[in-house]
Amino acid sequence: MADPLKIAYSPCPNDTFVFHAWAHGLVPDAPPLDVTFADIDITNGMAERGELDVLKVSYAVLPWVLGEYALLPCGGALGRGCGPLVLTREAGSPADLAGRTVAVPSERSTAYLLFRLWAASEVPGGVGRIEVLPFHEIMPAVRDGRVDAGLVIHEARFTYQDYGLSCLADMGEHWEKTTGLPIPLGAIIAKRSLGAPTLRRIAEAARTSVRMAWDDPAASRGYVLSHAQEMDESVADQHIGLYVNDFTDDLGEDGYAAVRGLLTRAAAEGLVPPLGPDALDFPA
């Protein structure tokens, strides 16, 4: 039996839903997995250090890791109507953020790139200080007045009103309005050193795993909820519905255009290194 591939992905419902079948040995002929659960800011760091074989990372980190890793054409998270939100204690306008302190979950995240691109066009003079906080601390920090605003992702879209907060702006809405493209959030990458045949096998296993999850959603239910950090079951379902879609099955032309568009715009703002012309290519 081949040694398991070392993989890391988040405990969020979209990742556990996608990888359930593969992680449990249900995908025919797929290589076995040795799974580590970690939030995406941690997996981004793992990728930069080249630590594991396969990783779920933010698209924002790709310019730093594509020398060692290849982007898989499936398994990740892109979509529409699912972008990060900027939250404040009271309703206002983007101009209110000028010179203010904003909490973000990571400076190597797609959410942060979308936020910076939005702020460059919508916040006169730009925001003030950026404070990096763990994702679960951001909404309480905004609520308690420790920061002026917070950039949130994932299930916070469904729960921020529980904290008495207002949505100042939707980063995904701005991205879609200005580009017409889906929002690129999380990518699956695998080490190039595994070789083209193994990379293609990994991609096929990821694609089969998500299709098996769609065919029998109940099969993954226990796995999803056991890792969902006390998330309400209905919120978990909404989370999966938003982030697991046709782009998870295959990036396609629009998916690749969205990824290249984000990273090209971010490079023009000096936020990431520029991509090489073949950086996103997957071994045929």
Side-chain angles (χ1 to χ4, degrees):
M1 183 176 174
D3 290 337
L5 289 171
K6 294 185 181 298
I7 186 172
Y9 50 84
S10 83
C12 293
N14 60 308
D15 285 348
T16 49
F17 181 81
V18 165
F19 286 104
H20 167 263
W22 189 3
H24 289 80
L26 304 176
V27 177
D29 302 320
L33 296 179
D34 177 2
V35 178
T36 296
F37 290 101
D39 288 335
I40 202 158
D41 58 325
I42 294 174
T43 62
N44 284 346
M46 289 176 169
E48 292 189 70
R49 295 186 295 273
E51 289 182 356
L52 300 184
D53 300 313
V54 185
L55 291 151
K56 168 74 174 289
V57 298
S58 169
Y59 276 109
V61 84
L62 291 189
W64 286 277
V65 304
L66 284 177
E68 188 166 0
Y69 288 90
L71 171 65
L72 266 63
C74 55
L78 294 87
R80 298 186 185 276
C82 60
L85 307 178
V86 175
L87 304 179
T88 53
R89 284 185 299 285
E90 297 181 4
S93 70
D96 297 335
L97 286 191
R100 302 293 183 136
T101 298
V102 182
V104 304
S106 169
E107 290 181 289
R108 288 279 176 93
S109 66
T110 305
Y112 183 69
L113 294 189
L114 291 169
F115 169 70
R116 287 290 299 270
L117 293 174
W118 168 81
S121 66
E122 301 294 325
V123 181
V127 299
R129 188 167 62 91
I130 298 295
E131 183 171 340
V132 178
L133 290 178
F135 168 68
H136 67 276
E137 293 183 15
I138 291 178
M139 289 192 289
V142 178
R143 178 195 62 199
D144 298 342
R146 288 184 282 129
V147 295
D148 299 304
L151 179 69
V152 299
I153 55 176
H154 297 329
E155 66 273 9
R157 166 175 288 274
F158 312 114
T159 61
Y160 70 87
Q161 291 172 325
D162 297 342
Y163 290 80
L165 302 179
S166 296
C167 177
L168 183 74
D170 184 324
M171 304 296 93
E173 185 178 282
H174 178 261
W175 170 258
E176 291 183 66
K177 181 179 178 180
T178 55
T179 69
L181 294 169
I183 307 154
L185 298 168
I188 308 298
I189 58 174
K191 275 196 172 175
R192 296 183 187 275
S193 60
L194 294 168
T198 297
L199 288 173
R200 291 194 293 271
R201 190 178 174 211
I202 289 169
E204 186 55 35
R207 182 172 285 122
T208 301
S209 189
V210 70
R211 290 178 180 178
M212 291 177 70
W214 279 332
D215 287 344
D216 186 8
S220 64
R221 174 68 50 176
Y223 186 59
V224 167
L225 294 179
S226 68
H227 293 286
Q229 301 173 341
E230 301 180 6
M231 188 185 300
D232 181 84
E233 186 169 346
S234 65
V235 173
D237 287 340
Q238 291 177 75
H239 187 111
I240 292 167
L242 265 185
Y243 300 114
V244 185
N245 51 46
D246 288 346
F247 294 110
T248 313
D249 182 68
D250 187 78
L251 278 174
E253 288 186 12
D254 281 357
Y256 278 107
V259 176
R260 188 167 289 282
L262 172 71
L263 298 179
T264 299
R265 287 171 177 236
E269 292 286 334
L271 300 173
V272 303
L275 282 182
D278 304 322
L280 300 181
D281 290 356
F282 187 72

